[in-house]
Amino acid sequence: MAELIMDLQSVGLRIETQLETGRTGGAGPSDSGFLWVEGVPVTVPPSESSPYSLRAEDEGQGIYRAGVKVANVSGTRRPRFYDLKTADGIPYEQIALLHLDSLASTVVQACNYWGNSDQCGFCGIGLSLKAGRTIAKKSPEILAEVALAAKELDGAVDATLTTGSSVAPDRGALYVAKCGQAVKEHAGLPVEVQFEPPRDLKYIDQVHDMGVDALGIHIESFDPKVLAKVAPGKFRTGMDTYFRTWEYAVNLFGEGRVSTYVILGLGEDPDLTVEMCRRAVDIGVYPFVVPLRPVAGSLLEDLPAPSREYTEPIYRKVAGFLEAKGLGADTAVAGCARCQACSSLNLVQQAGNAPGCGSFGAPAGAPKAAPLLQIGKRPDA
């Protein structure tokens, strides 16, 4: 299953039936359709050239390759809460989206990096606002109202709230945390909030005091050369600042409850990426490793996703670090690292920890499969 999902997230899926849920645009690398593949949550980019196809069946849907069924698919219906509106007539769908079983919203649909030389290459935060798919700013009260509906009508199990980066000293952390506090108190959902490293670590204390469960503070790439090119603003923040912020946050929130996105396929040095993931895991940070999936209309929209041959060895090494540290999707509580739909990392970790297995998939006592663990060459960018 891990191999299949790695393939799907690399080459995409031809949609030969109706796909009722998906995401277009947004603040992260996640243009995709939302699927349950054999009970596993997955986001998969649509692709007309993929060797895999999604087909309708008498009951549900299936994924096929070369005419052979390889997996069952379920759970792609449109969420019921999307059909509701606020008292002001704003569709709930413009307030928050359901990513399978995780509610997600960008609470402030603006970023000081957008539309200038600092714009992150994979991001589309301004595109969905321009297209009218969302509103510029969501209030804590409205988010709480929508979260409760998503929980009661569609079974949402957690909430992930992010924001564009702000020039304010807190970088937007306090407002997104206020929204998270409202969602947690009104809907009873575990909440992750995501923001850039604030200019003063005291803001992390304030966010913690608001009762949110987890933080996402996203570096995007551990390769400084790549970061300088695709996310100049984050590059100027500095790697040391990220690590200092993560370490401070872990001391407050606990190991596994602070995560960071690590995107593969940007032209990064894979050995450096693995080593920096190990360093992050050592301090209790969950490096959420994902394949590149640029938003249509973003600066990197034409850059292809990395191959499974490239991503799998990195997944396996990082999964080994997580297992040794005792971290996993369950320790994340909420957010992207809990959901895991955009990555195969948790599946690889589960496969490596299966009964009767030694080091990541090898039968107990068998020699290590060295070729699988070799890091591939840096992808073209």
Side-chain angles (χ1 to χ4, degrees):
M1 184 55 58
E3 291 176 354
L4 171 62
I5 289 173
M6 278 186 271
D7 254 355
L8 289 171
Q9 292 183 332
S10 176
V11 301
L13 183 64
R14 279 183 291 118
I15 310 300
E16 297 180 358
T17 182
Q18 184 175 5
L19 183 62
E20 294 191 16
T21 59
R23 176 185 176 189
T24 303
S30 52
D31 260 17
S32 59
F34 303 142
L35 307 171
W36 291 96
V37 180
E38 297 290 350
V40 176
V42 185
T43 59
V44 181
S47 171
E48 291 300 318
S49 60
S50 173
Y52 296 98
S53 61
L54 179 68
R55 301 179 184 177
E57 298 179 332
D58 291 340
E59 296 184 7
Q61 298 166 325
I63 294 177
Y64 289 76
R65 178 166 184 159
V68 177
K69 184 175 180 178
V70 295
N72 291 303
V73 172
S74 62
T76 61
R77 67 169 176 79
R78 173 184 169 85
R80 286 171 286 190
F81 82 90
Y82 282 10
D83 296 323
L84 303 180
K85 295 182 179 181
T86 68
D88 295 333
I90 302 171
Y92 279 11
E93 188 177 7
Q94 293 185 8
I95 306 296
L97 296 175
L98 192 64
H99 294 188
L100 295 164
D101 60 359
S102 184
L103 189 71
S105 179
T106 302
V107 302
V108 178
Q109 202 80 25
C111 179
N112 63 287
Y113 298 151
W114 182 261
N116 55 56
S117 59
D118 285 337
Q119 184 170 324
C120 295
F122 48 77
C123 185
I125 190 170
L127 300 175
S128 45
L129 181 61
K130 183 178 180 180
R133 291 189 294 268
T134 187
I135 61 174
K137 187 175 183 178
K138 290 91 169 180
S139 72
E141 296 77 16
I142 292 301
L143 281 164
E145 174 186 323
V146 173
L148 182 61
K151 176 184 176 181
E152 293 183 343
L153 296 178
D154 296 286
V157 301
D158 74 346
T160 305
L161 304 180
T162 189
T163 183
S165 185
S166 165
V167 295
D170 71 320
R171 309 298 296 276
L174 296 184
Y175 186 75
V176 71
K178 183 178 180 181
C179 293
Q181 182 183 37
V183 167
K184 186 173 177 65
E185 291 179 352
H186 188 66
L189 294 175
V191 176
E192 176 179 281
V193 297
Q194 302 175 349
F195 50 84
E196 294 285 277
R199 304 194 193 285
D200 191 319
L201 293 177
K202 68 180 181 182
Y203 295 113
I204 303 288
D205 293 278
Q206 295 180 43
V207 170
H208 179 261
D209 291 344
M210 291 184 191
V212 299
D213 300 278
L215 300 185
I217 303 174
H218 298 165
I219 186 70
E220 317 297 357
S221 177
F222 277 125
D223 188 322
K225 293 181 180 179
V226 168
L227 199 61
K229 183 177 180 181
V230 303
K234 289 174 177 281
F235 171 76
R236 285 199 308 275
T237 296
M239 202 77 69
D240 289 343
T241 298
Y242 275 93
F243 273 97
R244 183 169 62 252
T245 305
W246 291 333
E247 192 165 16
Y248 191 89
V250 168
N251 287 334
L252 287 173
F253 287 84
E255 293 185 348
R257 294 200 177 194
V258 179
S259 62
T260 187
Y261 248 77
V262 182
I263 304 173
L264 302 181
L266 294 170
E268 67 282 341
D269 181 329
D271 292 303
L272 175 62
T273 299
V274 167
E275 173 56 26
M276 296 300 275
C277 283
R278 182 201 58 76
R279 182 181 164 193
V281 171
D282 282 348
I283 64 172
V285 172
Y286 191 106
F288 188 53
V289 180
V290 300
L292 173 69
R293 190 178 303 149
V295 172
S298 67
L299 300 177
L300 295 179
E301 66 175 338
D302 295 325
L303 194 62
S307 69
R308 185 190 122 201
E309 289 72 23
Y310 177 74
T311 61
E312 182 176 355
I314 298 174
Y315 278 137
R316 288 166 67 87
K317 284 184 175 287
V318 176
F321 303 149
L322 291 167
E323 188 65 25
K325 186 69 172 178
L327 303 183
D330 55 336
T331 62
V333 183
C336 297
R338 197 288 307 167
C339 173
Q340 292 283 330
C342 294
S343 175
S344 297
L345 183 57
N346 190 55
L347 282 174
V348 172
Q349 184 176 353
Q350 290 177 338
N353 200 33
C357 289
S359 178
F360 281 82
K368 291 182 180 179
L372 266 180
L373 295 176
Q374 297 303 306
I375 297 295
K377 70 180 182 68
R378 180 194 299 251
D380 294 331

